[in-house]
Amino acid sequence: MKTHVFFVDKNVDDLNSCPQITQAASYLQRGDLVAFPTETVYGLGANAMSTAAVENIFIAKGRPSDNPLIVHIATTEQLYDIVCDIPPVAYTLMEHFWPGPLTLVLPKKEAVSPRVTAGLNTVAVRMPNHPIALALIKASGLPIAAPSANRSGRPSPTTAKHVLDDLDGRIAAVVDGGQTGVGVESTVIDCTTAIPTILRPGGVTKEDIERVIGVVNIDRALVEKEAVPKSPGMKYTHYAPKAPLVVVHGSSVFLQQLVNEKRADGFKVGVLTTEEGRHTYEADVVISCGQRHDLRTVAKKLYDALRTFDTTNVDIIYSESFPYEGIGVAIMNRLLKAAGHEQMMEK
Ligand code: TXA
Ligand code: MG
């Protein structure tokens, strides 16, 4: 299969009458897979009401079948086709954060394919804040199931090139709308528990949510290593570059020592840092990802940085760590998963 690339400028006035969007939407209607930009990462879309179409997502990604998908909608009317028994707190969250990087887990309607929800009686749903995503969903007239558009286990794609690197020839089309904004995936919050529970940290922070609805819980699996996550996807190693990655807690002097020891043993060593630390380290490859004083810029560049290491010949990567506050919680969650929880602490 040849993957068709549709170039679309997200800033054009009337995306709804854009012929590339109309054509990409017709691919979705006939059951094909179309990758498209959202404000977080690129998604790999399929008709959420068609089991056969959704099945293709799992095949193209090599995704474990027990990992459910997020359904993307463009209007609140679409919500009522897929969920029921919406609790008041969910309406409050939608009002404040949609369209945007917040995914709500709600009781599902019968019509949603069990292939989408991996047999759960809940479904994850979000309204993305990206003009191309919204126009494409509207043009298709369908709720669109879409995981991140990477091969399973790889860092999520923040450009159409990342999508093609992983899925060229495996999907019908990608809509290239340039680099995505937030850079890490949406926050997933379970609204079926008495107190809503964050299952995956992401683009909307816990602080943002608590300002609107008061105290929320965090899934135990996000804090305790042994607990089984309620969000099936959270149990898999993810986002991993090809070389082993180690997250370093401590000073730049300590990190440099680790680099020196490995290089003395003949290994090629990479360092993941920020603009502030770019000239601090001596290593075989130093990649800077955003600015530490503004963690949003780190989130935006993180996956591209992890993928860039794959184009180098490093044997091991040491990464700086980031404060567990605001979007830093999502950054550390993804970094530690990419590292398979390999960490070094300065004494
Ligand atoms: O930002 C995003 O959320 C991106 C863009 C494309 O929208 N999508 C994304 O999808 O990250 P994916 O499939 O890579 O991650 C979906 C996460 C997984 O951790 C999955 O286990 C969880 O959402 N999830 C989906 N349905 C669920 C459900 N019913 N209950 C609990 N967790 C669910
Ligand atoms: Mg993913």
Side-chain angles (χ1 to χ4, degrees), residues 79-271:
L79 188 64
Y80 303 105
D81 297 334
I82 51 180
V83 304
C84 50
D85 305 327
I86 304 170
V89 73
Y91 283 109
T92 312
L93 289 171
M94 287 180 230
E95 245 164 58
H96 277 85
F97 297 108
W98 279 9
L102 184 69
T103 295
L104 308 184
V105 172
L106 293 165
K108 88 169 189 88
K109 270 203 174 145
E110 201 69 34
V112 182
S113 166
R115 207 68 191 82
V116 170
T117 60
L120 298 174
N121 53 15
T122 55
V123 62
V125 54
R126 87 176 187 100
M127 189 186 289
N129 186 16
H130 193 291
I132 292 176
L134 292 171
L136 179 64
I137 298 166
K138 268 187 206 145
S140 74
L142 299 165
I144 299 297
S148 49
N150 49 285
R151 287 280 288 170
S152 204
R154 299 262 299 141
S156 298
T158 52
T159 65
K161 180 180 180 300
H162 295 163
V163 175
L164 291 168
D165 286 345
D166 279 16
L167 298 173
D168 195 7
R170 294 177 158 268
I171 61 176
V174 53
V175 181
D176 184 344
Q179 197 190 348
T180 60
V182 179
V184 293
E185 300 84 346
S186 63
T187 303
V188 178
I189 187 161
D190 185 353
C191 297
T192 67
T193 47
I195 295 175
T197 307
I198 293 179
L199 305 182
R200 176 176 76 178
V204 173
T205 67
K206 178 169 180 273
E207 294 89 328
D208 293 337
I209 296 172
E210 289 190 328
R211 262 195 294 278
V212 174
I213 59 166
V215 175
V216 296
N217 285 334
I218 296 187
D219 189 27
R220 281 176 51 220
L222 292 173
V223 267
E224 291 166 33
K225 218 179 157 192
E226 306 306 324
V228 178
K230 258 193 94 179
S231 183
M234 296 299 285
K235 70 173 181 268
Y236 296 105
T237 305
H238 240 103
Y239 319 113
K242 290 180 181 130
L245 171 70
V246 180
V247 178
V248 180
H249 302 268
S251 64
S252 56
V253 175
F254 176 61
L255 197 153
Q256 183 67 51
Q257 263 169 21
L258 297 172
V259 173
N260 295 349
E261 283 162 21
K262 280 287 172 200
R263 291 180 95 194
D265 288 341
F267 293 104
K268 295 237 176 305
V269 183
V271 172

